């Protein structure tokens, strides 16, 4: 069957296109939502500086859920035109303070495992979760 080879090739090409789409955040099959270790997230992270980064854009934390190692450095980049903060909701274990538009602030994640919800103190409807594990 001559068609078996072209079919296999087409699948490989499609998989490659999918990987490209993921790196540009177009998305492929799933929307890249909650999964902690998806290819989307690792590709996004490695394209920055190897550290862990949260971007604030359009009054949203991206990603809204981030898993890090204990004591990891987390850089928060504000890409909005208004000031934001990234502040732990309970216990105040981390707080960037005000991040001016276009600026970034790095904080240190808690040293113990757990889920740490955070918010923006200026815009309390902005929410995210930092998971330390
Ligand atoms: Cu804000």
């Amino acid at each position: 069957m001559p068609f078996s080879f072209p079919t296999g090739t087409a699948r490989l090409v499609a998989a490659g296109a999918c990987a490209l789409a993921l790196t540009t955040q177009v998305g492929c099959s799933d929307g890249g939502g909650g999964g902690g270790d998806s290819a989307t997230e690792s590709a996004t992270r490695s394209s920055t500086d190897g550290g862990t980064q949260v971007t604030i854009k359009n009054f949203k934390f991206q990603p809204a859920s981030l898993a890090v190692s204990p004591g990891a450095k987390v850089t928060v980049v504000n890409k909005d035109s208004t000031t934001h903060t990234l502040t732990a909701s309970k216990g105040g274990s981390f707080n960037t303070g005000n991040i001016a538009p276009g600026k970034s602030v790095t904080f240190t994640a808690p040293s113990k495992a757990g889920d740490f919800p955070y918010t923006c103190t200026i815009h309390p409807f902005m929410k995210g979760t930092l998971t330390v594990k």
Side-chain angles (χ1 to χ4, degrees), residues 56 61 83-87 89 118-128:
I56 302 174
F61 296 109
T83 298
H84 293 294
T85 78
L86 191 157
T87 306
S89 302
Y118 59 78
T119 187
C120 170
T121 57
I122 303 168
H123 312 101
F125 58 88
M126 294 173 61
K127 292 184 193 312

mmCIF file of all heavy atoms in Angstrom, residues 56 61 83-87 89 118-128:
data_model
loop_
_atom_site.group_PDB
_atom_site.id
_atom_site.type_symbol
_atom_site.label_atom_id
_atom_site.label_comp_id
_atom_site.label_asym_id
_atom_site.label_seq_id
_atom_site.Cartn_x
_atom_site.Cartn_y
_atom_site.Cartn_z
ATOM 1 N N ILE A 56 1.651 39.516 34.449
ATOM 2 C CA ILE A 56 0.340 40.134 34.681
ATOM 3 C C ILE A 56 -0.023 40.913 33.424
ATOM 4 O O ILE A 56 0.728 41.781 32.967
ATOM 5 C CB ILE A 56 0.363 41.085 35.892
ATOM 6 C CG1 ILE A 56 0.788 40.334 37.150
ATOM 7 C CG2 ILE A 56 -1.016 41.718 36.074
ATOM 8 C CD1 ILE A 56 0.963 41.243 38.362
ATOM 9 N N PHE A 61 -3.318 37.131 36.209
ATOM 10 C CA PHE A 61 -2.039 36.475 36.434
ATOM 11 C C PHE A 61 -1.920 35.330 35.438
ATOM 12 O O PHE A 61 -2.836 34.521 35.301
ATOM 13 C CB PHE A 61 -1.955 35.918 37.858
ATOM 14 C CG PHE A 61 -1.989 36.975 38.923
ATOM 15 C CD1 PHE A 61 -3.106 37.125 39.735
ATOM 16 C CD2 PHE A 61 -0.908 37.816 39.123
ATOM 17 C CE1 PHE A 61 -3.144 38.092 40.726
ATOM 18 C CE2 PHE A 61 -0.934 38.789 40.121
ATOM 19 C CZ PHE A 61 -2.056 38.927 40.921
ATOM 20 N N THR A 83 -0.568 49.815 37.901
ATOM 21 C CA THR A 83 0.218 49.143 38.936
ATOM 22 C C THR A 83 -0.548 47.936 39.502
ATOM 23 O O THR A 83 -1.754 47.999 39.702
ATOM 24 C CB THR A 83 0.523 50.142 40.070
ATOM 25 O OG1 THR A 83 1.301 51.207 39.525
ATOM 26 C CG2 THR A 83 1.298 49.471 41.193
ATOM 27 N N HIS A 84 0.185 46.847 39.738
ATOM 28 C CA HIS A 84 -0.388 45.652 40.357
ATOM 29 C C HIS A 84 0.536 45.190 41.482
ATOM 30 O O HIS A 84 1.691 45.605 41.575
ATOM 31 C CB HIS A 84 -0.500 44.506 39.345
ATOM 32 C CG HIS A 84 -1.497 44.744 38.254
ATOM 33 N ND1 HIS A 84 -2.842 44.843 38.458
ATOM 34 C CD2 HIS A 84 -1.325 44.891 36.917
ATOM 35 C CE1 HIS A 84 -3.465 45.036 37.297
ATOM 36 N NE2 HIS A 84 -2.564 45.077 36.342
ATOM 37 N N THR A 85 -0.001 44.259 42.276
ATOM 38 C CA THR A 85 0.837 43.549 43.240
ATOM 39 C C THR A 85 0.540 42.058 43.107
ATOM 40 O O THR A 85 -0.477 41.664 42.539
ATOM 41 C CB THR A 85 0.542 43.941 44.712
ATOM 42 O OG1 THR A 85 -0.652 43.286 45.161
ATOM 43 C CG2 THR A 85 0.384 45.443 44.868
ATOM 44 N N LEU A 86 1.442 41.258 43.616
ATOM 45 C CA LEU A 86 1.165 39.823 43.779
ATOM 46 C C LEU A 86 1.398 39.552 45.253
ATOM 47 O O LEU A 86 2.536 39.592 45.728
ATOM 48 C CB LEU A 86 2.078 38.973 42.886
ATOM 49 C CG LEU A 86 1.703 37.478 42.788
ATOM 50 C CD1 LEU A 86 2.267 36.865 41.511
ATOM 51 C CD2 LEU A 86 2.222 36.707 43.998
ATOM 52 N N THR A 87 0.305 39.331 45.973
ATOM 53 C CA THR A 87 0.343 39.284 47.429
ATOM 54 C C THR A 87 -0.348 38.030 47.934
ATOM 55 O O THR A 87 -1.484 37.757 47.538
ATOM 56 C CB THR A 87 -0.376 40.530 48.006
ATOM 57 O OG1 THR A 87 0.204 41.706 47.435
ATOM 58 C CG2 THR A 87 -0.262 40.569 49.515
ATOM 59 N N SER A 89 -2.600 35.637 49.896
ATOM 60 C CA SER A 89 -3.888 35.927 50.523
ATOM 61 C C SER A 89 -3.882 35.601 52.013
ATOM 62 O O SER A 89 -4.499 36.279 52.809
ATOM 63 C CB SER A 89 -4.994 35.123 49.835
ATOM 64 O OG SER A 89 -5.030 35.446 48.466
ATOM 65 N N TYR A 118 -3.012 33.751 46.023
ATOM 66 C CA TYR A 118 -2.578 35.148 46.095
ATOM 67 C C TYR A 118 -3.531 36.021 45.309
ATOM 68 O O TYR A 118 -4.394 35.541 44.562
ATOM 69 C CB TYR A 118 -1.131 35.294 45.590
ATOM 70 C CG TYR A 118 -0.887 34.846 44.178
ATOM 71 C CD1 TYR A 118 -1.241 35.643 43.094
ATOM 72 C CD2 TYR A 118 -0.266 33.624 43.914
ATOM 73 C CE1 TYR A 118 -1.000 35.236 41.794
ATOM 74 C CE2 TYR A 118 -0.018 33.204 42.625
ATOM 75 C CZ TYR A 118 -0.388 34.024 41.566
ATOM 76 O OH TYR A 118 -0.150 33.607 40.285
ATOM 77 N N THR A 119 -3.384 37.295 45.512
ATOM 78 C CA THR A 119 -4.263 38.252 44.858
ATOM 79 C C THR A 119 -3.467 39.515 44.573
ATOM 80 O O THR A 119 -2.285 39.616 44.912
ATOM 81 C CB THR A 119 -5.472 38.563 45.772
ATOM 82 O OG1 THR A 119 -6.394 39.378 45.061
ATOM 83 C CG2 THR A 119 -5.033 39.283 47.031
ATOM 84 N N CYS A 120 -4.121 40.462 43.923
ATOM 85 C CA CYS A 120 -3.568 41.808 43.766
ATOM 86 C C CYS A 120 -4.309 42.682 44.762
ATOM 87 O O CYS A 120 -5.536 42.743 44.733
ATOM 88 C CB CYS A 120 -3.781 42.299 42.333
ATOM 89 S SG CYS A 120 -3.395 44.051 42.109
ATOM 90 N N THR A 121 -3.570 43.337 45.648
ATOM 91 C CA THR A 121 -4.244 44.115 46.688
ATOM 92 C C THR A 121 -4.989 45.318 46.103
ATOM 93 O O THR A 121 -5.926 45.823 46.705
ATOM 94 C CB THR A 121 -3.233 44.617 47.745
ATOM 95 O OG1 THR A 121 -2.225 45.384 47.086
ATOM 96 C CG2 THR A 121 -2.600 43.451 48.471
ATOM 97 N N ILE A 122 -4.564 45.752 44.931
ATOM 98 C CA ILE A 122 -5.231 46.899 44.295
ATOM 99 C C ILE A 122 -6.493 46.446 43.564
ATOM 100 O O ILE A 122 -7.483 47.164 43.502
ATOM 101 C CB ILE A 122 -4.261 47.598 43.324
ATOM 102 C CG1 ILE A 122 -2.998 48.037 44.069
ATOM 103 C CG2 ILE A 122 -4.929 48.789 42.645
ATOM 104 C CD1 ILE A 122 -1.861 48.469 43.161
ATOM 105 N N HIS A 123 -6.449 45.239 43.029
ATOM 106 C CA HIS A 123 -7.585 44.692 42.272
ATOM 107 C C HIS A 123 -7.894 43.302 42.846
ATOM 108 O O HIS A 123 -7.406 42.303 42.321
ATOM 109 C CB HIS A 123 -7.238 44.581 40.786
ATOM 110 C CG HIS A 123 -6.620 45.826 40.220
ATOM 111 N ND1 HIS A 123 -5.261 45.950 40.008
ATOM 112 C CD2 HIS A 123 -7.185 46.992 39.852
ATOM 113 C CE1 HIS A 123 -5.023 47.164 39.518
ATOM 114 N NE2 HIS A 123 -6.167 47.812 39.411
ATOM 115 N N PRO A 124 -8.687 43.246 43.900
ATOM 116 C CA PRO A 124 -8.880 41.968 44.618
ATOM 117 C C PRO A 124 -9.535 40.873 43.780
ATOM 118 O O PRO A 124 -9.516 39.708 44.177
ATOM 119 C CB PRO A 124 -9.796 42.376 45.791
ATOM 120 C CG PRO A 124 -9.600 43.846 45.938
ATOM 121 C CD PRO A 124 -9.338 44.373 44.563
ATOM 122 N N PHE A 125 -10.110 41.247 42.655
ATOM 123 C CA PHE A 125 -10.693 40.209 41.789
ATOM 124 C C PHE A 125 -9.622 39.432 41.043
ATOM 125 O O PHE A 125 -9.902 38.377 40.464
ATOM 126 C CB PHE A 125 -11.676 40.839 40.789
ATOM 127 C CG PHE A 125 -11.058 41.893 39.919
ATOM 128 C CD1 PHE A 125 -10.445 41.549 38.723
ATOM 129 C CD2 PHE A 125 -11.084 43.230 40.293
ATOM 130 C CE1 PHE A 125 -9.878 42.523 37.920
ATOM 131 C CE2 PHE A 125 -10.516 44.207 39.497
ATOM 132 C CZ PHE A 125 -9.902 43.860 38.304
ATOM 133 N N MET A 126 -8.398 39.928 41.063
ATOM 134 C CA MET A 126 -7.302 39.193 40.421
ATOM 135 C C MET A 126 -6.830 38.111 41.391
ATOM 136 O O MET A 126 -6.452 38.402 42.516
ATOM 137 C CB MET A 126 -6.148 40.140 40.101
ATOM 138 C CG MET A 126 -6.480 41.182 39.061
ATOM 139 S SD MET A 126 -5.168 42.403 38.871
ATOM 140 C CE MET A 126 -3.800 41.378 38.352
ATOM 141 N N LYS A 127 -6.853 36.870 40.913
ATOM 142 C CA LYS A 127 -6.481 35.773 41.797
ATOM 143 C C LYS A 127 -5.573 34.776 41.088
ATOM 144 O O LYS A 127 -5.654 34.596 39.865
ATOM 145 C CB LYS A 127 -7.738 35.028 42.270
ATOM 146 C CG LYS A 127 -8.622 35.839 43.185
ATOM 147 C CD LYS A 127 -9.787 34.994 43.678
ATOM 148 C CE LYS A 127 -10.879 35.816 44.337
ATOM 149 N NZ LYS A 127 -10.416 36.767 45.317
ATOM 150 N N GLY A 128 -4.736 34.155 41.882
ATOM 151 C CA GLY A 128 -3.880 33.087 41.364
ATOM 152 C C GLY A 128 -3.480 32.187 42.507
ATOM 153 O O GLY A 128 -3.790 32.463 43.671
#
